[in-house]
Amino acid sequence: MTVAEDRTPRRPEELFKPETGRTYKEFWEKVAETREGAYLGVAGTLFDQPLDDEDMDIDGEAVAQVIGDTLAVGPEHKVLEIGVGVGRIAQHIAPRCGEFHGVDIAQNMIDVANKRLGDRGNVHLKALERTGLEPYADGTFDRVYCQIVMIHIDREDVYQYI
């Protein structure tokens, strides 16, 4: 499944309903079937209008500044973002670190993020098959963060990431 360049405005109530998916993976794959849907899922809308790449840049910059400063991210660090989505924060954190890794439950989100960040040599993005970080050994990363991810998942599944 590839991500289409659909700019047809969609309302949150069209996507955020039980029929969209029965698992996290199904749900987020469906939300992110189009780039516009992925952006809506990550950041909502602006004055009821779909967001574009510039909106994603602006939206992620301030958050990335706080995260990067709080975690004291530097060029010697290997950083992981859980729930990287379309890379709105990653695009600003990746230049600050030596190696950036982003994971998401939805391959479609990773596809959008790859289109946005694919030209950066230190960025590595991966779609997870299930909740948790089993693909990575303990101690792999110097810094790990997530932003507005854990509110989307069941408490029991949060522990899989922690």
Side-chain angles (χ1 to χ4, degrees):
M1 189 179 325
T2 60
V3 177
E5 298 289 325
D6 179 11
R7 297 298 295 158
T8 305
R10 294 175 79 180
R11 302 189 60 76
E13 59 269 16
E14 293 176 41
L15 292 175
F16 298 106
K17 56 187 179 181
E19 299 80 37
T20 303
R22 298 179 93 38
T23 67
Y24 303 128
K25 190 166 190 64
E26 285 176 15
F27 179 86
W28 288 105
E29 291 289 9
K30 185 73 173 173
V31 167
E33 280 183 337
T34 65
R35 184 183 66 178
E36 185 269 335
Y39 286 7
L40 175 65
V42 168
T45 62
L46 181 63
F47 303 112
D48 228 12
Q49 295 298 311
L51 302 174
D52 59 20
D53 289 334
E54 184 179 355
D55 297 322
M56 288 292 106
D57 295 346
I58 293 167
D59 186 64
E61 188 173 19
V63 175
Q65 186 68 42
V66 171
I67 290 170
D69 291 351
T70 301
L71 296 179
V73 172
E76 70 279 11
H77 294 128
K78 188 173 183 180
V79 176
L80 172 66
E81 180 178 358
I82 300 169
V84 70
V86 300
R88 72 185 176 92
I89 298 169
Q91 70 185 19
H92 303 287
I93 296 287
R96 295 177 69 155
C97 65
E99 198 170 310
F100 179 90
H101 292 256
V103 296
D104 203 284
I105 198 70
Q107 181 64 53
N108 286 343
M109 288 286 191
I110 295 295
D111 292 345
V112 173
N114 269 322
K115 285 180 182 172
R116 298 182 76 235
L117 308 173
D119 61 340
R120 299 170 192 222
N122 71 331
V123 173
H124 310 278
L125 304 172
K126 180 176 186 55
L128 298 173
E129 290 303 315
R130 54 183 296 249
T131 302
L133 299 173
E134 287 86 11
Y136 303 102
D138 289 348
T140 299
F141 302 101
D142 303 302
R143 305 288 190 266
V144 178
Y145 71 91
C146 63
Q147 205 266 339
I148 313 177
V149 172
M150 302 303 179
I151 64 170
H152 295 295
I153 61 178
D154 293 330
R155 184 179 341 172
E156 296 80 10
D157 289 325
V158 170
Y159 298 117
Q160 298 299 316
Y161 288 109
I162 294 174

